[in-house]
Amino acid sequence: MSEKGKTQDLVTKLYENRDLTDEEFKTLLETDEYDEALFEKAVQVRKEHYGDKVYLRGLIEYTNYCKNNCNYCGIRKSNQNLERYRLSKEQILECCKEGYELGYRTFVLQGGEDIYFKDEILCDIISDIHREYPDCAITISAGERSKASYQKMFDAGATRYLLRHEAADDSLYRKLHPGTMSLDNRKKCLFDLKEIGYQVGAGFMVGAPYQTTENLIADLRFLQELEPDMIGIGPYIKHKDTPYKWFSNGSMELTLRLLAILRLMFPYVLLPSTTALGTIDPQGRELGLQAGANVVMPNLSPVDVRDKYTLYENKICTGEESAQCRSCLEMRVKAAGYEVVTDRGDVKR
């Protein structure tokens, strides 16, 4: 068989079986010779399930306080160079109002693990959003909490939850996170969320410090076990105020390769083309869409706090008004050959 035939054969096997052996995944991940075939097949699959639609999610970064000290994150507790902020309920509702007028039908409340936002405070906000905008989906990304806490938020009107597992290999997880955190608890939270009935999102960084190909394969295996509705991946980008500031940024090429692999493994999944991709390369988000992604997340946060939610350095879109951010992303989506839609965009299993 020719080399081209072998390439197509491996990609076809992944397409047909939604799985490969560890050795075959390693082969795909460690070379670019399969990329063209991977991207072509990934686009085919996303079109089979979602057509040309790209879903918008209105992102509201409501707090940059965090109780954790993750070694890679710019909003880590020990960063004394960061100006902290919390949005009030009124500010969050104003973001939703503006987003609704711009056509968004999904709001994503994302923040650090801020102990100020106890269940009653967060549930009050969620219930107000749900009452004002009953036709909208509410997604929460607030880190590890108790199952009872997740249940209260679900009962208040949140139906989706994003919680990246970050690393499915325990030794790598411990290198990235403080001793107060554990992979076992992170996994427990994800399965608690599924049991309650949330549409669940997991994911990981690509090119994280100390990460190996075997670690990435472990991530793929864990996602097979979890079967999430959403998978968020993006390149690791360093931050100057963290212990890992000396490490190199992750690879856009490897991130795109993994997006395509994930699309073939999980044809139904909602797969964002992330801001981190757009930060590491000006065309990153467009390339993400052309590798199988079908979600983008314009920022609805007030402009005066956007540059304070710095998980990593040089984050893009921190100075744009919400309408500008929406307009910019819509043009980028169209340039990539896709169509922006603003409905809830529920997962199509």
Side-chain angles (χ1 to χ4, degrees):
M1 183 182 294
S2 69
E3 286 304 313
K4 184 176 182 181
K6 289 179 184 177
T7 298
Q8 291 175 332
D9 189 54
L10 194 55
V11 173
T12 299
K13 183 179 178 182
L14 179 57
Y15 167 69
E16 291 176 348
N17 300 336
R18 302 185 186 180
D19 197 11
L20 295 172
T21 66
D22 285 3
E23 194 57 42
E24 287 168 334
F25 273 129
K26 184 178 175 68
T27 299
L28 272 188
L29 288 167
E30 291 186 343
T31 176
D32 62 3
E33 69 179 89
Y34 300 90
D35 287 357
E36 184 179 351
L38 263 177
F39 299 153
E40 182 179 334
K41 190 60 77 172
V43 167
Q44 175 191 322
V45 170
R46 63 97 68 206
K47 288 188 175 183
E48 287 171 359
H49 285 260
Y50 291 100
D52 289 329
K53 293 180 178 178
V54 172
Y55 299 100
L56 297 185
R57 308 295 195 226
L59 178 64
I60 303 168
E61 296 162 335
Y62 66 94
T63 177
N64 70 349
Y65 282 86
C66 190
K67 68 179 183 181
N68 295 325
N69 241 344
C70 300
N71 289 322
Y72 56 86
C73 183
I75 65 170
R76 65 197 308 268
K77 180 181 178 181
S78 293
N79 184 1
Q80 301 297 313
N81 298 323
L82 181 64
E83 184 183 345
R84 304 284 177 172
Y85 74 90
R86 294 184 179 107
L87 298 185
S88 66
K89 180 173 78 170
E90 291 71 27
Q91 286 175 300
I92 293 170
L93 289 171
E94 184 59 34
C95 293
C96 293
K97 178 175 182 291
E98 186 173 6
Y100 194 86
E101 290 169 354
L102 288 169
Y104 298 116
R105 295 299 178 264
T106 298
F107 301 121
V108 180
L109 271 62
Q110 177 177 290
E113 293 197 25
D114 185 351
I115 58 175
Y116 168 81
F117 283 95
K118 295 179 171 57
D119 291 345
E120 57 268 28
I121 295 174
L122 208 44
C123 288
D124 180 52
I125 294 167
I126 293 166
S127 61
D128 275 13
I129 296 171
H130 185 56
R131 184 172 57 251
E132 286 288 323
Y133 308 103
D135 56 330
C136 293
I138 302 171
T139 303
I140 306 297
S141 181
E144 296 180 4
R145 301 171 81 96
S146 69
K147 188 174 183 180
S149 173
Y150 292 146
Q151 184 69 59
K152 289 175 185 176
M153 289 190 284
F154 188 81
D155 294 341
T159 56
R160 300 172 180 171
Y161 202 99
L162 305 180
L163 181 64
R164 285 187 175 188
H165 65 275
E166 300 293 6
D169 176 85
D170 187 62
S171 62
L172 177 59
Y173 190 91
R174 284 186 275 112
K175 286 184 174 75
L176 298 175
H177 299 93
T180 53
M181 300 175 69
S182 75
L183 179 58
D184 284 345
N185 191 60
R186 180 63 60 112
K187 289 181 175 180
K188 179 181 184 299
C189 287
L190 284 162
F191 284 105
D192 283 348
L193 289 160
K194 283 203 74 170
E195 190 173 316
I196 289 167
Y198 281 93
Q199 291 182 32
V200 174
F204 54 91
M205 293 179 293
V206 179
Y210 302 108
Q211 186 184 70
T212 65
T213 301
E214 287 70 25
N215 294 148
L216 290 171
I217 294 169
D219 290 320
L220 298 178
R221 296 300 181 208
F222 173 68
L223 291 172
Q224 287 177 316
E225 179 187 356
L226 181 66
E227 296 184 317
D229 301 285
M230 299 161 279
I231 300 174
I233 69 168
Y236 165 74
I237 303 176
K238 62 186 176 181
H239 191 289
K240 61 181 176 57
D241 296 319
T242 70
Y244 287 170
K245 62 185 176 182
W246 306 113
F247 283 85
S248 299
N249 290 339
S251 158
M252 182 185 70
E253 290 74 20
L254 182 55
T255 304
L256 296 174
R257 196 172 301 148
L258 277 157
L259 282 173
I261 289 170
L262 289 167
R263 175 55 69 201
L264 296 183
M265 292 177 70
F266 307 95
Y268 60 83
V269 84
L270 294 166
L271 195 60
S273 188
T274 61
T275 301
L277 259 180
T279 298
I280 210 163
D281 185 278
Q283 297 295 310
R285 287 175 295 184
E286 290 93 323
L287 292 170
L289 295 174
Q290 292 165 347
N294 65 333
V295 172
V296 290
M297 298 174 70
N299 203 325
L300 288 174
S301 306
V303 173
D304 63 346
V305 302
R306 287 191 197 174
D307 63 348
K308 299 178 181 65
Y309 197 82
T310 50
L311 306 180
Y312 49 81
E313 289 181 344
N314 303 314
K315 182 180 172 185
I316 57 172
C317 301
T318 58
E320 295 178 344
E321 297 287 348
S322 296
Q324 289 176 294
C325 195
R326 155 77 198 257
S327 176
C328 170
L329 269 180
E330 188 160 1
M331 287 190 294
R332 289 177 176 275
V333 169
K334 286 180 179 177
Y338 295 98
E339 170 198 2
V340 163
V341 291
T342 51
D343 63 39
R344 291 166 56 107
D346 290 309
V347 68
K348 297 179 181 178
R349 284 188 179 267

